[in-house]
Amino acid sequence: MKLRAILLTTAVLGWAVPALAEGDLFIYTWGEYTPPDLVTKFEKEFDVKVHIDTFDSMETMLAKLRSGAGGYDIVVAGDATVQVMIAEDMIEKIDVNAMPNYANVDDKWKDVYWDAGRSYSAPWAWGSTALIVDTAQVTGDINTLDVLFNPAENVKGKINMLRDVNDVINMAQRYLGVPRCNESPEDMKKVLELLQTQKEWVKSYNSEFKEPMVSGEAIVSMGWNGYSMRAREEKPTLAYVYPKEGYTGWMDNLTVPKGAPDLDNAKAFVNFMMAPENAAMVSNYARYSNGIKGSEAFMDAGLSDAPELTPPADAPAPEFIPTCSPESVKLYDRVWTKLLN
Amino acid sequence: MSNARLKDLRAFTGFGSVAAGCVIFLYAPILFLTVYSFNDGRSVSQWSGASLRWYAKVLHNSDIQAAAVNSLIIATVAATVATVLALGAALAMTNNRFRGEEAAYATITLPLMVPEIVTAVASLVFFVSVGFSLGFTTILLAHIVFCIPFAYLPIRARLEGMDATLRSAAADLYASRRQAFTKITLPLLVPGLVSGWLLAFIISLDDFIISSMVAGPGSTTLPMHIYGMLRLGITPEVNAISSLMLIGSTLLVIVAGVLNRGGKTT
Amino acid sequence: MTDRALPLSSRWSERAVTAGLLWPSLAVITVFMVIPVAIMAVYSFLEPATYGGVVWKFSTAGYEQILFERDFLDDSLVFSADYLLILWRSVAQAAIATLLCLIISVPTAYYIATRSDRAKTIWIYLITIPYWVNLLIRTIALLFILRDDGPINDVLMAAGLVSAPLSLSYNSFAIGLGLVYSFLPFMVLPLYSAFERFDFKLLEAAYDLYASRRIAFFRIVLPVMRPGLVAGGLLVFIPAIGSFLAPDILGGGKTLMIGNLIGTQFQGARNWPFGAALSMILMTLTLIVLIWMARRAARTKFNG
């Protein structure tokens, strides 16, 4: 009986292991982030078979790559993560700035804190993390973090916060006017007190904020812009709000990990994604901005003008936050543990 | 004594209602998510009319299909191998005293005790340092290991309750060990084996953390695919594939039942 | 139980058979679980690297952090009950969930065991088919049913039984329900498996001797179920301690469980040694309980 099990297993394995043919591209990215027709377009143009694997968090991806588990050609990583990957020598220097389509990259994305001069990474999509508010229920000035930390009576008990250490603490820091990547125990003590006071009015710490907002369980929430747009489609009274104290910006980038098996295909893909019509496909699919000039012409009607993708003129600029020092990370973790205890 | 009277004696009041309540409790969320798999809108909780678009999307999405098939294959193989291994272990350890039995017991139940993320990271580090390239095989190995205790405990529970005199009776009748095993012990063990296999199967099907860490490029399982969707929002597409899995499992049960009718009832 | 009537050669071959049956599973687990866990044990005594991973320098900071923290302001070692509280809460929650599972599963398993042969199989499959759907999806669906504007409250309000929605979500009740929901078959199936062979004539005999229904249940039925209770108890309690889906989704993510805590150490908090240390402590405690239970079971068995 055991012999049969072994034989069966071997047969199954032989069938299930993918045949590595000439011309492959292995992409490791977030789920639902890569439009199928983009994949088909690339496959046809370059005669390459594209395989997409998804991760659920940057940390899972980092752990796998760091352990030496290879096999990926393209990895999509957030700004702070790219910084880490460059520092730890995990990605190839593919000289994006020398690629033909580099001229299409919007100037403000060329010299970024995580990759000055763009030697390692190219823009994929970018967005912001701010507030989403039900304008039918929340009155008064909503462009401020007061709605989160000093809410009106009807808002108390109906606030949703993202389940992310950094996002939550950053918002609290902005409200208190203390710096990001904070290493000061005094500052963080104030942050903790603020968050603990707020906790009584918080319904949930849930990163899936669309459902609570659409169902009315929460009327104020932290949120990402693209997802908020989807929420607004289901409930028109929801508005994406840019608080005057500031909000977080983030950018997902294309990188090529060290030891990528199909380096040429990877570079071709990076260049491919800097063409405006291709970048626009990502925006249309995921509902986030891309970093490529001229892509607005190819985006869905109304998408590039949507309030979620184009902040109003008086809104502050998004704040891109680098990876914080280990002392800071440790402080944040302690605050988070005490908050949720 | 009439059948009706026997049934009366065996029944305890309220037990049937609890069992029925159990089933209702288990199936209520299933019903809910099946209904919403037909939702026209993108929400999994706000109804906007009926539509088959998500089923159409699943049928065109080869990634999600491949992930589902992978999960089913892994779960079936892992559950089967784990049950076979667990059967051996249970036979050796039940009603049997030997040196080191506590260590053996601790080892068999170890996978149950280790937190999933720890197993995940530790297995990743282990596989890579030994040079075992990540892929389908590593997922399968990891699954077999954590399935073993889930198969072992029900089989052992079954074995413990079995009458030891049956075995010595078989010996008295000069039955060989093998005959005693295949003709007496094994048939009596069937409910334990089925329970063990089913538990191992469902625990493997659901695993996410360990799979995501030890999977290689090109081997995605369904939970990995679903969790990957979390960042950009879960759509009723997940409900659709879940409903399809449910239909699949029900069909399998019916087929198994039909096939069994030809065999003897225990 | 080695039969002393058997000749010596038979006893040797009996031991060989025992070993032969046992070593495949032990070997698999030793290679693919014990060794990785040993690696983790080593990691618990190292220092965390800046961006995750470990630095090969010896340090007991991982274990220290469980009980002590450096005071915010003057950097002295201060006893902190934070993590012990999290551990305690997870254990308590798991215990309650196990108890609830037990109360529901015992009658259910009994009922299934008293059905006809064909119906039994159908019931068992019926119990497990929902588990083909991913737990995350089912837990989310459960949340939607329980929340303030979900079907349960809609029905209750429409029937006039309550005037305001019952708060069934984002609290301990919801978490308990969610944990039971996650683990029910892991109690039902072992109970059924242990009990299915029960000879109902024993029950008949008890009634003939004028035993009440209750005595019959507690003195005759339950002892037969005992191996199943132990198996089911382990299969529910231990995983429940580390579970985090139900607390996160149904509890609104407002409390940290040990499962979350350990997970975070390997993710955003980038403190692998601490995560490893927490896991070692958790596993050691669980192991102690396991061994204690196994010894108690062995003792009562031999004491009749």
Side-chain angles (χ1 to χ4, degrees):
Chain A
M1 199 194 269
K2 215 174 314 156
L3 180 63
R4 262 197 277 152
I6 297 174
L7 287 176
L8 174 67
T9 316
T10 326
V12 161
L13 287 174
W15 173 85
V17 167
L20 283 172
E22 286 268 74
D24 287 287
L25 187 72
F26 287 91
I27 302 182
Y28 199 25
T29 178
W30 295 99
E32 298 286 295
Y33 215 14
T34 326
D37 31 8
L38 179 77
V39 169
T40 324
K41 188 175 177 203
F42 182 76
E43 284 183 329
K44 273 213 201 91
E45 215 171 292
F46 291 85
D47 193 23
V48 166
K49 181 86 182 70
V50 174
H51 313 259
I52 301 182
D53 282 298
T54 57
F55 48 72
D56 68 307
S57 74
M58 287 282 106
E59 301 299 330
T60 307
M61 179 273 285
L62 274 179
K64 278 183 91 163
L65 254 56
R66 186 183 289 117
S67 74
Y72 295 107
D73 301 310
I74 294 273
V75 171
V76 170
D79 46 289
T81 312
V82 174
Q83 185 190 26
V84 171
M85 287 162 90
I86 294 177
E88 300 213 318
D89 201 27
M90 286 165 77
I91 51 181
E92 298 274 2
K93 190 160 179 292
I94 51 175
D95 294 318
V96 178
N97 44 30
M99 291 185 183
N101 278 337
Y102 184 65
N104 296 327
V105 174
D106 201 319
D107 293 317
K108 65 179 179 196
W109 303 120
K110 283 186 176 167
D111 240 334
V112 285
Y113 81 79
W114 60 93
D115 186 13
R118 289 289 188 182
S119 314
Y120 293 88
S121 63
W124 172 261
W126 72 273
S128 56
T129 307
L131 299 179
I132 178 171
V133 169
D134 189 347
T135 51
Q137 308 243 9
V138 184
T139 50
D141 182 17
I142 54 175
N143 293 313
T144 160
L145 288 177
D146 269 328
V147 303
L148 270 188
F149 295 110
N150 191 7
E153 273 316 303
N154 71 326
V155 175
K156 289 184 183 171
K158 292 190 167 196
I159 300 178
N160 178 62
M161 301 290 278
L162 290 178
R163 194 141 211 256
D164 183 286
V165 187
N166 293 316
D167 284 330
V168 168
I169 290 184
N170 289 335
M171 278 303 193
Q173 286 170 336
R174 287 189 186 109
Y175 190 67
L176 290 171
V178 297
R180 248 42 75 242
C181 276
N182 205 306
E183 291 178 19
S184 148
E186 290 89 22
D187 283 351
M188 290 312 293
K189 195 149 197 200
K190 284 191 258 171
V191 166
L192 177 62
E193 280 158 9
L194 176 68
L195 289 174
Q196 278 172 329
T197 318
Q198 191 220 22
K199 190 178 175 185
E200 294 170 55
W201 308 319
V202 171
K203 178 127 199 174
S204 52
Y205 292 85
N206 185 2
S207 291
E208 284 285 302
F209 59 88
K210 180 170 75 104
E211 299 295 344
M213 287 303 291
V214 168
S215 70
E217 276 183 311
I219 56 182
V220 168
S221 173
M222 291 175 63
W224 315 301
N225 55 344
Y227 206 22
S228 298
M229 197 187 315
R230 295 241 180 259
R232 183 165 63 86
E233 283 167 15
E234 290 176 33
K235 190 169 187 179
T237 53
L238 297 177
Y240 189 66
V241 166
Y242 300 87
K244 61 179 193 276
E245 294 89 347
Y247 57 99
T248 309
W250 49 265
M251 171 173 263
D252 284 332
N253 306 272
L254 292 169
T255 66
V256 178
K258 276 252 154 76
D262 310 283
L263 192 54
D264 296 321
N265 291 341
K267 289 191 188 167
F269 186 73
V270 172
N271 189 46
F272 178 76
M273 286 318 301
M274 291 194 285
E277 61 274 14
N278 300 328
M281 288 171 97
V282 175
S283 290
N284 289 336
Y285 187 72
R287 314 308 267 182
Y288 284 100
S289 309
N290 58 67
I292 309 297
K293 290 186 285 210
S295 61
E296 296 82 13
F298 303 93
M299 280 161 65
D300 289 340
L303 182 60
S304 46
D305 299 325
E308 287 85 2
L309 296 190
T310 310
D314 56 351
E319 197 189 346
F320 286 79
I321 304 171
T323 312
C324 300
S325 67
E327 291 80 36
S328 185
V329 169
K330 211 165 191 178
L331 262 182
Y332 282 28
D333 182 56
R334 274 177 63 198
V335 168
W336 189 245
T337 311
K338 285 187 191 292
L339 176 65
L340 291 184
N341 212 343
Chain B
M1 184 162 312
S2 75
N3 244 3
R5 178 128 186 267
L6 256 177
K7 248 201 220 148
D8 202 36
L9 274 182
R10 299 191 313 175
F12 283 91
T13 39
F15 279 22
S17 325
V18 174
C22 211
V23 170
I24 294 175
F25 174 50
L26 285 180
Y27 278 86
I30 304 289
L31 187 67
F32 185 88
L33 69 89
T34 313
V35 166
Y36 273 89
S37 68
F38 295 102
N39 191 10
D40 196 35
R42 286 182 69 97
S43 170
V44 285
S45 69
Q46 304 294 315
W47 184 255
S48 356
S51 149
L52 285 176
R53 62 187 271 220
W54 302 108
Y55 287 94
K57 190 148 190 259
V58 166
L59 291 173
H60 282 110
N61 187 345
S62 56
D63 285 340
I64 207 172
Q65 288 167 23
V69 167
N70 272 354
S71 284
L72 287 171
I73 294 179
I74 291 175
T76 310
V77 175
T80 311
V81 174
T83 308
V84 167
L85 292 175
L87 175 62
L91 286 171
M93 298 218 292
T94 321
N95 299 329
N96 203 2
R97 312 229 63 187
F98 57 91
R99 251 195 9 218
E101 63 173 4
E102 265 178 9
Y105 186 59
T107 313
I108 292 273
T109 50
L110 183 66
L112 202 58
M113 291 191 279
V114 184
E116 274 194 275
I117 182 77
V118 172
T119 311
V121 175
S123 303
L124 173 68
V125 171
F126 171 70
F127 283 132
V128 175
S129 49
V130 193
F132 213 130
S133 71
L134 297 185
F136 197 81
T137 326
T138 44
I139 307 181
L140 195 59
L141 284 169
H143 278 230
I144 291 175
V145 170
F146 69 69
C147 282
I148 291 180
F150 285 92
Y152 172 79
L153 286 170
I155 297 178
R156 186 192 168 118
R158 177 77 177 171
L159 212 50
E160 273 184 42
M162 271 174 56
D163 203 357
T165 60
L166 276 173
R167 274 191 272 172
S168 41
D172 282 343
L173 293 170
Y174 301 105
S176 73
R177 280 197 101 95
R178 199 150 138 266
Q179 282 177 315
F181 177 68
T182 52
K183 292 262 161 64
I184 301 194
T185 320
L186 200 54
L188 286 173
L189 268 183
V190 163
L193 291 173
V194 169
S195 298
W197 192 94
L198 282 174
L199 289 184
F201 183 80
I202 62 185
I203 203 87
S204 163
L205 210 55
D206 232 4
D207 175 69
F208 161 70
I209 301 179
I210 299 178
S211 305
S212 71
M213 278 294 181
V214 302
S219 6
T220 309
T221 61
L222 191 60
M224 284 165 68
H225 191 105
I226 293 177
Y227 276 76
M229 288 170 81
L230 274 179
R231 190 175 187 247
L232 273 97
I234 300 196
T235 59
E237 190 184 356
V238 175
N239 296 35
I241 190 119
S242 304
S243 308
L244 290 174
M245 299 264 288
L246 284 170
I247 294 175
S249 70
T250 321
L251 281 175
L252 234 74
V253 169
I254 295 177
V255 164
V258 164
L259 287 176
N260 216 7
R261 223 178 311 163
K264 49 185 172 3
T265 41
T266 330
Chain C
M1 110 222 117
T2 350
D3 192 344
R4 292 199 185 272
L6 289 171
L8 200 64
S9 58
S10 223
R11 253 189 283 163
W12 269 113
S13 73
E14 183 140 339
R15 243 182 251 150
V17 169
T18 306
L21 286 172
L22 199 47
W23 82 254
S25 43
L26 288 187
V28 167
I29 296 185
T30 308
V31 173
F32 295 104
M33 181 69 64
V34 174
I35 296 182
V37 167
I39 296 178
M40 266 300 147
V42 170
Y43 276 21
S44 67
F45 287 102
L46 299 176
E47 273 182 25
T50 325
Y51 298 118
V54 287
V55 170
W56 284 88
K57 274 200 278 177
F58 179 79
S59 155
T60 52
Y63 288 95
E64 264 172 37
Q65 195 175 342
I66 301 178
L67 289 177
F68 301 101
E69 66 183 14
R70 301 219 165 252
D71 184 73
F72 262 136
L73 296 168
D74 64 21
D75 210 40
S76 59
L77 271 181
V78 164
F79 174 74
S80 154
D82 286 338
Y83 300 113
L84 293 178
L85 188 59
I86 295 177
L87 187 60
W88 164 249
R89 188 188 303 131
S90 311
V91 169
Q93 212 164 64
I96 294 176
T98 311
L99 201 62
L100 286 173
C101 264
L102 211 124
I103 295 176
I104 300 178
S105 302
V106 165
T108 309
Y110 184 91
Y111 182 76
I112 298 179
T114 55
R115 299 303 96 205
S116 75
D117 278 344
R118 184 108 61 81
K120 268 185 218 173
T121 330
I122 296 181
W123 271 94
I124 291 299
Y125 283 121
L126 216 61
I127 299 270
T128 51
I129 283 177
Y131 290 79
W132 282 56
V133 176
N134 192 268
L135 183 61
L136 175 68
I137 309 303
R138 277 180 291 129
T139 312
I140 294 180
L142 192 61
L143 174 66
F144 290 150
I145 294 181
L146 289 174
R147 39 166 213 198
D148 288 349
D149 59 340
I152 294 188
N153 273 316
D154 280 347
V155 164
L156 286 176
M157 300 239 293
L161 290 168
V162 292
S163 51
L166 285 180
S167 179
L168 297 170
S169 49
Y170 301 115
N171 52 26
S172 318
F173 168 75
I175 297 180
L177 206 65
L179 284 176
V180 169
Y181 192 75
S182 313
F183 293 109
L184 208 48
F186 297 95
M187 182 72 89
V188 174
L189 257 58
L191 276 175
Y192 165 78
S193 161
F195 186 67
E196 192 259 355
R197 274 210 23 94
F198 178 64
D199 190 352
F200 286 94
K201 293 208 210 71
L202 285 172
L203 207 54
E204 252 181 76
Y207 290 143
D208 279 344
L209 293 169
Y210 302 108
S212 73
R213 276 249 142 88
R214 163 186 280 168
I215 292 195
F217 184 76
F218 282 98
R219 292 287 190 82
I220 313 250
V221 172
L222 270 192
V224 175
M225 277 196 167
R226 217 172 71 296
L229 286 171
V230 171
L234 289 176
L235 286 175
V236 173
F237 183 64
I238 301 181
I241 299 180
S243 90
F244 53 85
L245 262 184
D248 267 4
I249 296 178
L250 292 163
K254 293 179 87 165
T255 39
L256 264 183
M257 295 293 142
I258 195 89
N260 299 101
L261 183 65
I262 297 180
T264 324
Q265 303 312 314
F266 289 98
Q267 311 236 317
R270 297 182 174 153
N271 195 345
W272 290 29
F274 179 47
L278 280 171
S279 311
M280 291 299 132
I281 300 289
L282 183 62
M283 279 172 11
T284 314
L285 289 173
T286 319
L287 200 61
I288 292 176
V289 169
L290 216 71
I291 304 268
W292 176 78
M293 275 179 59
R295 286 204 184 150
R296 256 194 79 200
R299 230 180 297 135
T300 47
K301 195 184 300 184
F302 284 100
N303 290 346

